[in-house]
Amino acid sequence: MLTGKHILSCDCIDNDDLHRLFELADLLQPVAKGLKYTRILEGAMLCSLFFEPSTRTRLSFDSAFMRLGGSVSSTTGFSFSSIAKGESLEDTSRVVSGYGDILVVRHPEEQAIYDIAAQTYVPVINGGNGAGEHPTQALLDLYTLERELQRTDRCLQKSVIVLAGDLRFGRTIHSLVKLLVRFSPRKLIFLSPENLRLPENLRDMLAKQTIDVEETQNVGEALRQADVIYTTRVQKERFPENELAENYSSDFRIDAALFERFASPNTLIMHPLPRDSRDGANDLSDDLNSDSRLAIFRQTDAGVPIRMALFASVMGVADHVQNSLQEAKWFTPRYTGVQDAAFYERNPAK
């Protein structure tokens, strides 16, 4: 049970919790899409502290809490907090925990989330701690991965997962690896240049598993084997001052030509976003946007129901969700996945 717990790492969530969260997220999908509504957290307050820029994560958390009937109070950046006046992070955390019932925090320093949790008496959820972890992103990634594979009659245990890009600083990868090993995929392939390899602590953890693991710099060979490729942008903002990302060449760019040459018709494409669309960024190309194998927007859509499920669980109301659901009376022309693409064919934008 997750009631009242801090969610600082994927290690805080066991497999039974995962199963319950995913079932609850399925139940909450109509709420996330605006087809139903609930007031299960009416009167509750989320305090959102983001000391780094964020679009998807912050809006996803806020939307999830408000769709459960709660309210949100938030601040972004060091310059907009009393830390700019010399206040300690511990004091800020203790003060803010007196204003809300739960905190979501993103901070550029890995240790900060643990220091914050130690000073609060309300649950703290990690929205990303530097190059450390991003546990809720890993939850929505695994949720998406499982359901996308099921849609094509496949399963995780028989799949080859390629994790590509910045494996060194990519906190979404760090969290996702911790979850994937629990379900024994057929093979994990880590695709990156030498200077962006997976951190040593995670390589040591993988060495103790029975899973087939491969590290490579050969994009074509990795794609030939892939049931899923999960790629990330280079986290240039986390590089030490004397280190450059110049070794991440265009050879690692995932685009339509590469997929046409090497990937199978069912190879699923995932990315936690944001992707760097600028020339020379060598990230996931937007020329794959019309490819049905691209799951990145279904992946981001999953963030709201997953975070709703987590909020309901941590705040102890998960068992009351089903009876609280009511049909929505408003109309929302919302794209809700591959199965709804026909809506936009019938109703083109004017």
Side-chain angles (χ1 to χ4, degrees):
M1 296 292 290
L2 296 176
T3 302
K5 289 186 177 181
H6 298 311
I7 307 298
L8 309 182
S9 163
C10 285
D11 297 331
C12 302
I13 303 170
D14 65 27
N15 286 3
D16 288 339
D17 294 327
L18 277 176
H19 181 71
R20 285 190 289 264
L21 284 171
F22 288 1
E23 284 189 336
L24 189 55
D26 286 340
L27 179 64
L28 287 165
Q29 281 281 5
V31 181
K33 294 171 184 174
L35 304 175
K36 293 185 179 182
Y37 70 95
T38 174
R39 311 303 299 171
I40 198 73
L41 288 184
E42 188 168 16
M45 174 67 72
L46 165 67
C47 287
S48 179
L49 298 176
F50 274 68
F51 297 102
E52 278 188 324
S54 173
T55 302
R56 274 151 301 280
T57 300
R58 179 174 172 178
L59 289 179
S60 177
F61 270 119
D62 290 358
S63 297
F65 205 79
M66 289 189 284
R67 284 197 179 276
L68 291 173
S71 301
V72 177
S73 180
S74 61
T75 186
T76 301
F78 288 96
S79 60
F80 294 99
S81 75
S82 292
I83 290 175
K85 304 173 185 177
E87 183 175 60
S88 70
L89 186 61
E90 289 77 11
D91 281 2
T92 297
S93 309
R94 171 60 182 82
V95 168
V96 174
S97 67
Y99 300 151
D101 303 290
I102 188 168
L103 306 184
V104 171
V105 181
R106 169 172 286 187
H107 198 283
E109 298 175 9
E110 291 184 36
Q111 180 59 35
I113 191 72
Y114 299 97
D115 296 338
I116 290 168
Q119 297 299 320
T120 65
Y121 51 85
V122 299
V124 175
I125 296 178
N126 183 0
N129 61 320
E133 283 202 54
H134 197 344
T136 63
Q137 179 70 44
L139 290 175
L140 73 90
D141 288 341
L142 183 63
Y143 177 80
T144 302
L145 197 159
E146 283 195 339
R147 275 135 186 81
E148 290 289 323
L149 289 173
Q150 288 168 7
R151 193 163 57 83
T152 51
D153 297 319
R154 293 178 289 172
C155 68
L156 181 55
Q157 289 75 15
K158 295 182 180 180
S159 297
V160 175
I161 315 296
V162 175
L163 298 139
D166 187 347
L167 311 184
R168 177 182 172 190
F169 297 110
R171 59 192 173 197
T172 65
I173 293 278
H174 302 166
S175 290
L176 183 56
V177 167
K178 288 186 173 186
L179 294 185
L180 285 174
V181 296
R182 302 185 193 180
F183 296 91
S184 301
R186 183 157 63 90
K187 187 175 187 179
L188 291 177
I189 299 177
F190 295 96
L191 172 66
S192 73
E194 180 67 25
N195 67 322
L196 295 180
R197 292 175 69 199
L198 203 66
E200 186 175 353
N201 67 310
L202 288 175
R203 296 205 309 273
D204 289 343
M205 181 268 289
L206 287 165
K208 298 173 184 176
Q209 310 294 320
T210 58
I211 300 169
D212 189 5
V213 173
E214 177 183 338
E215 288 188 282
T216 184
Q217 296 182 44
N218 190 320
V219 179
E221 287 304 311
L223 269 179
R224 278 196 179 100
Q225 301 178 64
D227 293 290
V228 179
I229 180 164
Y230 182 107
T231 184
T232 65
R233 71 180 179 89
V234 177
Q235 310 276 309
K236 295 179 181 179
E237 69 275 17
R238 305 200 191 283
F239 275 51
E241 288 185 9
N242 61 345
E243 196 172 330
L244 300 175
E246 58 192 14
N247 291 335
Y248 196 78
S249 70
S250 58
D251 294 341
F252 291 90
R253 186 170 185 260
I254 307 298
D255 59 19
L258 193 70
F259 248 67
E260 180 67 24
R261 182 179 177 188
F262 293 110
S264 80
N266 288 322
T267 300
L268 182 68
I269 311 166
M270 297 179 66
H271 191 299
L273 298 181
R275 56 177 164 169
D276 193 338
S277 299
R278 293 170 293 187
D279 291 340
N282 299 327
D283 201 346
L284 178 65
S285 174
D286 56 11
D287 67 2
L288 284 159
N289 281 3
S290 61
D291 195 311
S292 63
R293 294 171 293 183
L294 188 78
I296 62 175
F297 300 116
R298 300 191 291 278
Q299 190 178 349
T300 57
D301 286 347
V304 175
I306 280 291
R307 290 180 172 118
M308 290 171 74
L310 188 60
F311 280 135
S313 299
V314 171
M315 300 197 73
V317 295
D319 292 342
H320 304 288
V321 167
Q322 182 149 19
N323 291 336
S324 75
L325 300 180
Q326 300 183 61
E327 296 293 329
K329 298 177 176 62
W330 55 82
F331 170 71
T332 53
R334 181 183 299 273
Y335 175 73
T336 55
V338 170
Q339 70 275 17
D340 294 335
F343 174 88
Y344 288 92
E345 295 174 4
R346 296 193 304 271
N347 300 275
K350 296 181 180 180

